[in-house]
Amino acid sequence: MLFKRGNMRKKIIAANWKMNKDINETSDFISAFNTEMKDIDCPIEVVVCPPFTALYVAAKNLQESQVRLGAQNLHFEDDGAFTGEVSARMLQSLGVAYVIVGHSERRQYFGETDEVVAKKVKKALSSNLKVILCAGETLSERDGGVTEKVLERQVKAALGGLTAQDMANLVIAYEPIWAIGTGRNATPQQAEEAHAFIRSVVAEMFDRDVAAALTIQYGGSVKPDNAAQLLSQPDVDGALVGGASLKADSFAKIVKSCPFGKTA
Ligand code: 13P
């Protein structure tokens, strides 16, 4: 399927720090990264997603920067007796712009179902937070030939009931679970195939314009030496980076490898 408006799509590279960095390490990273970003010349949005405890410090340190702040999770209720949870409003008051929803680690280790993911997506969007929705298959699902089935199920469950306007504030990150933290990234063709498939599911659910405008990031062992190749694929509009985003110089190299050109 051809989606002609591909070049117009917003390109986003995001750092998912997972459960790493205290407030001192966060300040150190941001001052080093701000310096690295000064000479960047690429039409790309850069997002950093620290743990909750470092969001305040990150927000303070990013005040003069183009880099946007993201969180890694939220609860779908507004407030109440949910010990240990964090609401959309709390994130907003910190200046958070993006929130990652449905990361495979949340699904795998914290029992997040498609239903919970869908509730979180709705809460985030209705609270004016942009969503980075994660979807991806396990190795046995890939080997069993059900990758597309799994992606379709995850995407349809998470996006059901959303409007085209909601979709303008949502990004999908395709993150094959077998590629996360393993050093084994998807090949550019595997990434492209999955992204094109996800786009076709979104076209079926909404329409071709919504699908054509949707930013789809790739995540899973993105490194400075494989980023440009992955990002050169027509349906790959950015990256969600884990391990290689923990060092300012390595994350900056990934951002700088951006092949999108000045007119993207
Ligand atoms: P790695 O880049 O460490 O493989 O992690 C990817 C990821 O899970 C980003 O959300």
Side-chain angles (χ1 to χ4, degrees):
M1 205 183 294
L2 262 180
F3 292 92
K4 290 207 179 100
R5 289 173 48 209
N7 284 344
M8 308 290 288
R9 282 195 286 274
K10 192 191 245 187
K11 314 296 184 187
I12 305 173
I13 295 189
N16 175 11
W17 286 355
K18 308 189 180 185
M19 196 172 73
N20 292 289
K21 294 196 191 296
D22 63 18
I23 54 173
N24 298 318
E25 291 159 339
T26 298
S27 309
D28 290 350
F29 176 102
I30 290 172
S31 55
F33 189 64
N34 278 341
T35 309
E36 296 269 4
M37 289 294 288
K38 282 206 174 103
D39 56 5
I40 186 103
D41 182 21
C42 185
I44 203 165
E45 185 150 282
V46 179
V47 182
V48 175
C49 306
F52 289 139
T53 47
L55 284 171
Y56 184 73
V57 152
K60 290 268 170 229
N61 286 285
L62 287 173
Q63 261 166 5
E64 307 292 314
S65 160
Q66 298 292 316
V67 176
R68 310 294 301 275
L69 189 60
Q72 299 173 20
N73 186 26
L74 82 165
H75 196 272
F76 53 78
E77 293 289 350
D78 288 327
D79 44 44
F82 301 102
T83 301
E85 292 295 321
V86 169
S87 73
R89 193 168 61 85
M90 293 169 188
L91 297 179
Q92 260 203 318
S93 74
L94 287 161
V96 166
Y98 283 87
V99 59
I100 299 171
V101 178
H103 191 281
S104 60
E105 287 149 17
R106 302 276 340 149
R107 296 178 192 253
Q108 200 178 343
Y109 305 135
F110 302 98
E112 279 191 18
T113 59
D114 284 338
E115 194 191 357
V116 168
V117 169
K119 284 186 184 175
K120 291 185 173 192
V121 167
K122 287 195 180 66
K123 178 51 67 182
L125 291 171
S126 67
S127 309
N128 292 321
L129 293 168
K130 293 180 193 295
V131 167
I132 298 176
L133 168 72
C134 300
E137 79 288 359
T138 63
L139 187 57
S140 69
E141 287 165 342
R142 175 159 284 265
D143 290 345
V146 293
T147 296
E148 292 193 347
K149 243 191 206 140
V150 171
L151 294 177
E152 184 171 3
R153 191 203 76 227
Q154 291 176 340
V155 168
K156 285 192 167 166
L159 306 187
L162 298 189
T163 63
Q165 209 179 332
D166 288 330
M167 289 300 290
N169 290 311
L170 183 135
V171 172
I172 293 182
Y174 168 61
E175 295 209 315
I177 294 168
W178 48 271
I180 295 177
T182 58
R184 176 188 166 191
N185 60 286
T187 65
Q189 283 102 309
Q190 285 172 324
E192 174 57 23
E193 275 169 26
H195 286 221
F197 176 73
I198 289 170
R199 207 177 294 290
S200 74
V201 172
V202 172
E204 188 196 312
M205 290 183 76
F206 297 89
D207 59 38
R208 290 171 64 90
D209 283 349
V210 167
L214 176 70
T215 297
I216 307 181
Q217 301 174 300
Y218 167 77
S221 297
V222 176
K223 305 272 184 266
D225 62 0
N226 63 19
Q229 236 200 337
L230 286 157
L231 293 167
S232 301
Q233 299 303 306
D235 283 288
V236 178
D237 310 310
L240 182 56
V241 187
S245 74
L246 292 173
K247 292 216 165 86
D249 60 341
S250 139
F251 187 51
K253 270 189 199 140
I254 292 173
V255 174
K256 286 174 184 171
S257 73
C258 151
F260 301 124
K262 288 182 187 151
T263 54

